[in-house]
Amino acid sequence: MNSAAQASQTEHPEHPDEVLVEVVGCATHDAHAVFSALRESFVSDRSANDVPKEVNGATATVWTVTVDVSELRAEAAPRPLSAPVTVDLQGGYWAVDRLRKALAHAFSVRVMGTAAGDQEKEVQLRLETL
């Protein structure tokens, strides 16, 4: 484990470093833009060539990714979106806040709602082009 990850776990031992991200009902290229920004900033379970695909007959498609925010790789460059994108985050308080702040380098981010629990929270964001 590297020193940044160790420091993160030492400072925030009660908060997991993974955030579940759901991108809801948008164009595939917009979902890919969000996943690319996340991958530029953090380690995720989606590879660069894992491009979201449309599901025939689905009314609202949800794409998911799990992101490890223990180490910030780089600030993501701004990315264009064809329309606003709804993103749901679920994880520890510190991890969700860190991911939300990282997204603000690539997109205009507005918090649409939150739900808090003992050790985790859910946040719904609206992302738009900067």
Side-chain angles (χ1 to χ4, degrees):
M1 183 182 306
N2 64 38
S3 60
Q6 288 171 336
S8 169
Q9 290 176 349
T10 302
E11 293 173 27
H12 310 282
E14 69 278 13
H15 302 296
D17 292 334
E18 289 188 347
V19 178
L20 175 64
V21 180
E22 296 179 345
V23 179
V24 183
C26 65
T28 57
H29 59 274
D30 288 337
H32 186 61
V34 173
F35 292 151
S36 295
L38 290 171
R39 198 173 35 260
E40 188 174 344
S41 297
F42 304 108
V43 172
S44 80
D45 64 356
R46 278 189 176 260
S47 67
N49 57 359
D50 184 3
V51 179
K53 295 176 180 58
E54 286 290 335
V55 178
N56 291 334
T59 56
T61 303
V62 178
W63 294 284
T64 61
V65 63
T66 301
V67 179
D68 180 344
V69 300
S70 60
E71 183 177 348
L72 180 64
R73 293 170 150 179
E75 292 180 353
R79 287 168 166 72
L81 297 171
S82 63
V85 174
T86 300
V87 176
D88 296 321
L89 310 178
Q90 180 182 358
Y93 283 77
W94 174 83
V96 168
D97 289 342
R98 186 168 197 193
L99 191 138
R100 180 185 50 78
K101 289 175 186 172
L103 283 172
H105 293 283
F107 308 102
S108 170
V109 177
R110 185 169 59 173
V111 176
M112 303 301 290
T114 61
D118 286 345
Q119 297 179 20
E120 286 193 344
K121 73 176 178 178
E122 293 181 34
V123 177
Q124 185 174 72
L125 304 176
R126 180 182 172 111
L127 305 181
E128 298 183 54
T129 301
L130 283 175

